[in-house]
Amino acid sequence: MGCCGSTERTKREWKPLEDRSCTDLPWFLLFTVFCVGMGSICGFTIATGGAGRLVFGYDSYGNTCGQRNEQIEGVRLSGLDQTDKKYVFFLDPCNIDIVERKIKSMALCVSLCPDEELKTYQDLKRFAMHNGSELCSYELAGHKYPGLPERFDKCPKLPVPPSKSLPVFNRCTPVDISCYAKFAEAVVMFVSDNSVLHRLIGGVMASKEIIVGLCLLALVLSMILMVIIRYISAVLVWILTAMVVLGSLAGTSILWWMYIDRRLTANKTLSKETAETTETKDAKEEAGMTRDKAQVLLVYAIAATVFTVILLLLMLFMRKRVALTIALFHVAGKVFIHLPLLTLQPFCTFLALLLFWMYWGLVLLFLGTTGNPVQNEETGLTEFRLTGPLQYMTWYHAVGLIWISEFILACQQMTVAGAVVTYYYTRDKTRLPVTPILSSVLRLMRYHLGTVAKGSFIITLVKIPRLFLMYVHNQLKGKENACARCMLKTCICCLWCLEKCLNYLNQNAYAATAINSTSFCTSARDAFVILVENALRVAAINAVGDFVLFLGKILIVTSTAFAGVLLLNYQRDYAEWVLPLIIVCLFAFLVAHCFLSIFEIVVDVLFLCFAIDTKYNDGTPGKEFYMDKALMEFVENSRKLERVVERGRSRPTVSVEGPEMKPMAPGTSSA
């Protein structure tokens, strides 16, 4: 059987949470091998000295500072004993290539960083004699610095700024680092010319307790909002729906009024034209412009009318689906009451991503100092570069960043889906596992890591070309023609849309796997069929639900900002509390986004469970529903409406009664 089922199969039974087996085992093995490869890259950088060169530093002749070195063939002054020289000193520390992210200056291993400014070569000589730290190239004698002709090329650029060593990476860093980037000059001028930046930083330090308190407030508001949405979802959704409809009607009416007004003005102008024979050229042009504007307004008014009519029809046909969205929001609130640890998922995921990104960045730095010694033809300095097949390790490492990051995010989705599925398909909510989240994590690690690896790899296959096209677009900015720019942007947009669609399908595939323990492709196919069969419901849930959650994010941010304004109001200087307020608002939006994204995943998983429940169960004995009381009321109301419609069609004949609804098993909680 192919990935998406190339052969027909018999209709299989859905047995939620009954059978559990390993899924997509080959993909788990492939992902394991890939992770071993990522670890091997780190081991290779350590074994070949790249990690040591990064930590301890190395000079322009390939010698690692602070240790005895071996001779490098073809590189003079290599193989020196630098045991007593633990610090890296740059002759011209401000000579940085921002594009290549490299320092072009010659580097030497020294025993001590200059802690005072050295203005002349006599000062260099005195520093070498008193401290035993020679700051010129190794072949130059310290007591001869002032008279050597090579001093202009192989000695530091004067004046030598005072420097100090970094706490971990033993580099002599100038105390004044303003020369490290040209763009920093504007910042330096800004800081030196006025004290605004100092006041902003001072405001942050003075308000640190308030900032922490407001961040905790945003956290608490996010948790509370997820709970109270279940109580205000009906009012909120219908208010938003009414606002959208009224806004469309009002906008359409205003456009028609503006068109009629312009039309009347044009008619008056035309009447003047026929009455006056001495009309000027300017008046004729003005009348023509008025008619043109009227035609444009007519087009806008017609388009708005068509949009409003379509919107009203959609609202008419989707009103029952909106009621389903309300019911799902209500049940989602109950899920968070029964499974409060779901609120910790964003923190766990963020921590896992942060740790991985730190590891990835560190290994990337190791790769920058790993490889064979190569002499730079432009600068004459010795650099370490990956050559031959080894240079592909960087690309492998870059793919690992995307795949493993997507894998971690997919694990979060599978964990949440597994917990929600356990809640939905447990008839008696008092018999839920003690820790459904932990049970979901254990099921994921034991059975479904291969499924998560496969789903995240598919996202990686789409994301890599999109990122590559974005890189090409940035590199060719201002050079490509309009057609090429349009094609690049179109491809990037299409890949972005495809990525979003695949993310949504993957999320539902993980839920299907959590329900029936099927492989990724089988689950994706089953989820796709279910979603297509309920396309209008999906559209209503995504449109209305996403808008409600977006407003929830705005509510949390504005509430936190309002509280911040009240608490920071005693700082009368605007410059002192604007930066703390911005920091708090950004944190509030991030927290709200994380929490409400989890809420959105819960709603989507509940909908898939509901769709499967209504497809394979009808409430008759032996096929009782698993759904919550709120969803059962929605189904009952829908069936009553269908019965009324069917009776109307067959009034003279026998009435058609649907199967009697059977409640959930006794003891099922509806709270």
Side-chain angles (χ1 to χ4, degrees):
M1 183 179 294
C3 178
C4 295
S6 55
T7 58
E8 292 294 329
R9 61 170 185 156
T10 58
K11 182 179 178 181
R12 63 176 176 77
E13 233 180 301
W14 285 77
K15 298 179 179 179
L17 303 177
E18 292 186 14
D19 301 325
R20 192 61 55 182
S21 60
C22 292
T23 55
D24 298 295
L25 185 59
W27 280 93
F28 170 69
L29 298 176
L30 176 63
F31 183 74
T32 303
V33 171
F34 182 85
C35 291
V36 170
M38 292 283 291
S40 300
I41 292 177
C42 181
F44 175 80
T45 60
I46 296 175
T48 56
R53 281 189 287 270
L54 175 69
V55 175
F56 300 110
Y58 65 97
D59 61 18
S60 297
Y61 305 108
N63 300 300
T64 302
C65 300
Q67 66 183 39
R68 187 185 297 273
N69 298 275
E70 297 181 359
Q71 177 71 34
I72 300 174
E73 185 179 356
V75 179
R76 66 184 185 89
L77 298 178
S78 62
L80 301 179
D81 185 1
Q82 307 284 26
T83 305
D84 297 329
K85 299 179 179 181
K86 300 181 179 180
Y87 304 102
V88 182
F89 174 75
F90 298 99
L91 271 61
D92 187 6
C94 296
N95 190 4
I96 297 178
D97 188 344
I98 299 177
V99 177
E100 297 293 334
R101 298 176 299 280
K102 292 181 179 179
I103 297 178
K104 293 183 176 181
S105 168
M106 178 183 289
L108 301 173
C109 294
V110 298
S111 56
L112 187 66
C113 298
D115 56 355
E116 59 182 10
E117 185 178 25
L118 306 177
K119 299 180 180 180
T120 64
Y121 292 106
Q122 287 291 345
D123 294 337
L124 290 178
K125 175 184 174 181
R126 186 175 63 257
F127 184 80
M129 294 296 100
H130 290 177
N131 301 294
S133 184
E134 299 177 348
L135 303 182
C136 295
S137 186
Y138 303 134
E139 71 269 24
L140 304 182
H143 64 280
K144 297 182 180 180
Y145 285 168
L148 291 175
E150 300 95 337
R151 66 183 183 277
F152 300 107
D153 297 326
K154 298 184 178 181
C155 285
K157 183 179 178 181
L158 297 178
V160 179
S163 60
K164 59 181 180 180
S165 61
L166 295 176
V168 178
F169 301 97
N170 301 320
R171 271 73 168 178
C172 294
T173 307
V175 177
D176 182 11
I177 61 173
S178 60
C179 63
Y180 273 154
K182 294 180 179 179
F183 62 84
E185 294 179 2
V187 177
V188 173
M189 291 295 294
F190 174 76
V191 176
S192 60
D193 287 347
N194 58 71
S195 59
V196 173
L197 184 60
H198 295 291
R199 289 156 61 196
L200 290 174
I201 297 175
V204 173
M205 297 304 297
S207 310
K208 55 183 181 295
E209 294 85 1
I210 297 177
I211 293 175
V212 173
L214 290 173
C215 291
L216 292 176
L217 175 64
L219 186 63
V220 173
L221 288 176
S222 300
M223 294 180 179
I224 293 175
L225 181 62
M226 290 192 298
V227 177
I228 65 175
I229 277 181
R230 60 172 290 195
Y231 300 108
I232 66 171
S233 57
V235 177
L236 185 61
V237 168
W238 287 118
I239 288 177
L240 292 176
T241 303
M243 289 175 60
V244 171
V245 172
L246 293 176
S248 300
L249 291 173
T252 303
S253 302
I254 291 173
L255 285 173
W256 278 112
W257 176 80
M258 292 174 64
Y259 165 71
I260 294 172
D261 182 65
R262 288 281 183 182
R263 192 66 181 176
L264 293 175
T265 304
N267 290 337
K268 291 180 181 178
T269 305
L270 184 62
S271 301
K272 283 187 177 182
E273 289 180 8
T274 57
E276 299 177 4
T277 57
T278 60
E279 184 183 9
T280 63
K281 182 179 179 180
D282 293 340
K284 291 181 180 179
E285 291 179 356
E286 184 179 353
M289 290 175 62
T290 303
R291 286 192 296 269
D292 292 340
K293 291 179 180 178
Q295 293 298 321
V296 172
L297 285 172
L298 177 62
V299 173
Y300 289 162
I302 293 174
T305 303
V306 173
F307 172 80
T308 303
V309 171
I310 294 175
L311 180 64
L312 291 175
L313 291 176
L314 286 175
M315 291 296 179
L316 179 64
F317 288 111
M318 296 176 66
R319 63 188 185 279
K320 291 192 298 182
R321 282 82 184 181
V322 173
L324 175 59
T325 304
I326 296 172
L328 287 173
F329 271 53
H330 185 77
V331 178
K334 295 182 181 179
V335 170
F336 280 97
I337 292 176
H338 285 86
L339 310 177
L341 292 181
L342 277 178
T343 57
L344 298 179
Q345 286 303 301
F347 297 103
C348 297
T349 303
F350 177 74
L351 180 61
L353 286 173
L354 183 61
L355 293 175
F356 169 68
W357 289 340
M358 291 172 60
Y359 164 81
W360 186 89
L362 187 62
V363 175
L364 183 65
L365 293 176
F366 290 167
L367 285 172
T369 54
T370 303
N372 301 317
V374 178
Q375 195 167 23
N376 191 317
E377 297 179 357
E378 180 183 352
T379 61
L381 309 180
T382 301
E383 301 173 354
F384 291 88
R385 297 178 184 174
L386 294 171
T387 57
L390 295 179
Q391 60 185 331
Y392 295 107
M393 287 196 301
T394 306
W395 293 102
Y396 187 97
H397 195 60
V399 173
L401 172 66
I402 302 174
W403 191 4
I404 297 179
S405 297
E406 292 296 330
F407 177 83
I408 294 173
L409 293 173
C411 285
Q412 173 186 269
Q413 294 177 350
M414 177 69 89
T415 300
V416 175
V420 175
V421 166
T422 301
Y423 171 85
Y424 187 95
Y425 287 105
T426 301
R427 295 187 185 276
D428 188 355
K429 300 300 187 267
T430 60
R431 297 184 179 180
L432 282 169
V434 178
T435 54
I437 306 295
L438 182 59
S439 301
S440 179
V441 172
L442 294 177
R443 283 201 305 270
L444 165 64
M445 297 178 65
R446 183 176 179 181
Y447 298 111
H448 305 312
L449 285 178
T451 299
V452 173
K454 188 173 184 178
S456 56
F457 180 76
I458 293 174
I459 300 298
T460 303
L461 287 181
V462 179
K463 182 165 286 188
I464 289 176
R466 182 172 69 85
L467 295 176
F468 177 75
L469 290 178
M470 291 174 64
Y471 172 78
V472 171
H473 180 261
N474 290 330
Q475 292 296 314
L476 298 178
K477 186 171 292 184
K479 300 178 182 179
E480 78 278 17
N481 56 38
C483 181
R485 183 168 58 252
C486 181
M487 290 180 63
L488 274 175
K489 289 184 177 180
T490 302
C491 292
I492 292 171
C493 182
C494 291
L495 288 173
W496 181 84
C497 294
L498 178 60
E499 181 183 336
K500 293 300 179 183
C501 294
L502 288 175
N503 265 321
Y504 183 72
L505 183 60
N506 279 8
Q507 179 180 306
N508 286 278
Y510 300 146
T513 298
I515 294 172
N516 227 28
S517 191
T518 50
S519 65
F520 175 82
C521 288
T522 303
S523 300
R525 177 184 55 197
D526 293 339
F528 181 76
V529 171
I530 294 292
L531 294 176
V532 170
E533 292 174 350
N534 298 268
L536 289 178
R537 288 176 172 176
V538 172
I541 291 170
N542 286 332
V544 179
D546 290 351
F547 189 57
V548 170
L549 295 180
F550 172 75
L551 289 181
K553 297 174 187 178
I554 299 299
L555 176 64
I556 291 173
V557 173
T558 53
S559 300
T560 307
F562 180 72
V565 170
L566 294 179
L567 292 175
L568 295 169
N569 186 46
Y570 68 90
Q571 297 179 354
R572 299 299 178 183
D573 192 345
Y574 172 79
E576 292 183 3
W577 60 263
V578 63
L579 186 58
L581 191 61
I582 292 175
I583 294 174
V584 167
C585 289
L586 290 176
F587 181 82
F589 181 80
L590 178 63
V591 170
H593 176 73
C594 291
F595 277 92
L596 294 181
S597 295
I598 295 294
F599 191 92
E600 184 179 1
I601 294 175
V602 171
V603 171
D604 290 337
V605 175
L606 283 174
F607 170 73
L608 185 68
C609 295
F610 169 78
I612 294 171
D613 196 8
T614 53
K615 182 176 181 179
Y616 293 95
N617 298 312
D618 56 10
T620 57
K623 290 187 176 182
E624 292 86 359
F625 288 113
Y626 288 92
M627 66 185 65
D628 190 90
K629 183 179 179 181
L631 292 173
M632 192 173 293
E633 289 176 355
F634 167 79
V635 174
E636 182 64 32
N637 293 334
S638 300
R639 287 192 171 182
K640 288 180 180 178
L641 182 61
E642 291 175 1
R643 290 175 190 147
V644 170
V645 173
E646 200 158 333
R647 286 195 188 100
R649 291 177 180 174
S650 55
R651 185 165 297 168
T653 60
V654 181
S655 62
V656 180
E657 293 287 341
E660 182 183 358
M661 293 281 290
K662 295 292 183 183
M664 294 181 285
T668 303
S669 173
S670 61

